[in-house]
Amino acid sequence: EDQVTQSPEALRLQEGESSSLNCSYTVSGLRGLFWYRQDPGKGPEFLFTLYSAGEEKEKERLKATLTKKESFLHITAPKPEDSATYLCAVQMRTSGSRLTFGEGTQLTVNP
Amino acid sequence: DGGITQSPKYLFRKEGQNVTLSCEQNLNHDAMYWYRQDPGQGLRLIYYSQIVNDFQKGDIAEGYSVSREKKESFPLTVTSAQKNPTAFYLCASSSTGENEKLFFGSGTQLSVL
């Protein structure tokens, strides 16, 4: 059965304290892995797409990496405005353009 | 501005009542999707449509119905058969090429009176 698991469920950091979020997947025929950010009461906002193992992408304080079994979202020197829920999703070769989401990691960055 | 518009922002349903959530996009995307999000959980796919006049069931389609009569519009009806409708509903759209990302609307919070 295709599965996407994110850990931890919640993470609390002090401003400037770097850390990583994990997304592990067991799917057959991965086409792409997507990271989204979601603020409370709003729709998810696209961050990155990763297509193959070894690929890395960066945006400001965020860097996403991909292996054959998991993806990491590294947050360097976070700020309070980075507080949000981060969602990971996979797109399979057999499922067209639809995405299967993990349950998300709720990140809180304290000043 | 191009984007996806969902309305209303908040909706209340009485028992036995059908309600319809609106989703309109002006991104010229062929594919549209409806997801449901429960508190502290990820998104689960209800229905999706890759082309006008065609749609497919997602993972949790029971108690819901959709139509796709226009490229820009993909309304979702929550029927009385859906016994636990309270959730945050998200509409999304994308192009249909490989690795195309989904763009999301701002969501509708549905609650039961």
Side-chain angles (χ1 to χ4, degrees):
Chain A
E1 181 183 337
D2 296 330
Q3 281 194 321
V4 182
T5 304
Q6 291 189 246
S7 62
E9 289 185 13
L11 181 62
R12 194 174 289 270
L13 301 173
Q14 288 299 121
E15 186 171 1
E17 179 187 2
S18 301
S19 188
S20 296
L21 313 182
N22 178 262
C23 172
S24 64
Y25 60 92
T26 53
V27 301
S28 52
L30 180 74
R31 174 182 283 171
L33 186 141
F34 296 72
W35 282 98
Y36 283 83
R37 169 192 170 126
Q38 186 178 25
D39 292 300
K42 296 188 177 181
E45 177 186 333
F46 172 77
L47 292 173
F48 304 108
T49 310
L50 302 166
Y51 302 113
S52 56
E55 188 174 2
E56 299 183 351
K57 289 194 176 173
E58 288 188 65
K59 180 181 179 180
E60 296 180 356
R61 295 177 291 282
L62 300 177
K63 183 168 91 171
T65 62
L66 181 66
T67 73
K68 288 185 178 180
K69 294 183 179 180
E70 59 192 348
S71 176
F72 291 94
L73 185 65
H74 307 278
I75 304 177
T76 303
K79 298 181 177 182
E81 53 262 42
D82 294 322
S83 297
T85 295
Y86 290 86
L87 297 167
C88 165
V90 298
Q91 190 176 72
M92 281 84 81
R93 296 189 187 283
T94 56
S95 64
S97 54
R98 55 180 285 183
L99 297 181
T100 299
F101 282 82
E103 296 192 347
T105 293
Q106 185 175 356
L107 175 66
T108 304
V109 182
N110 295 315
Chain B
D1 285 340
I4 302 175
T5 302
Q6 289 189 243
S7 61
K9 180 69 175 174
Y10 300 97
L11 186 59
F12 297 91
R13 193 192 90 166
K14 296 179 182 178
E15 197 160 333
Q17 184 182 44
N18 293 350
V19 293
T20 298
L21 285 61
S22 171
C23 178
E24 303 276 333
Q25 56 101 357
N26 61 5
L27 300 169
N28 199 34
H29 285 161
D30 287 314
M32 297 187 73
Y33 314 78
W34 276 105
Y35 284 89
R36 167 180 172 143
Q37 186 175 34
D38 292 282
Q41 296 190 28
L43 281 62
R44 291 184 291 167
L45 184 64
I46 305 172
Y47 269 98
Y48 64 106
S49 167
Q50 305 235 342
I51 196 167
V52 174
N53 292 322
D54 188 39
F55 49 83
Q56 290 77 41
K57 293 181 179 180
D59 301 318
I60 56 166
E62 186 174 349
Y64 301 96
S65 66
V66 294
S67 62
R68 186 86 187 277
E69 297 176 0
K70 297 188 300 181
K71 186 175 184 177
E72 302 79 19
S73 178
F74 192 40
L76 174 73
T77 296
V78 184
T79 75
S80 57
Q82 173 49 247
K83 298 306 179 187
N84 184 23
T86 297
F88 190 53
Y89 290 86
L90 286 159
C91 178
S93 71
S94 74
S95 299
T96 52
E98 279 199 10
N99 304 317
E100 292 291 341
K101 60 181 180 281
L102 270 61
F103 293 82
F104 284 86
S106 56
T108 293
Q109 176 64 49
L110 175 62
S111 302
V112 177
L113 290 176

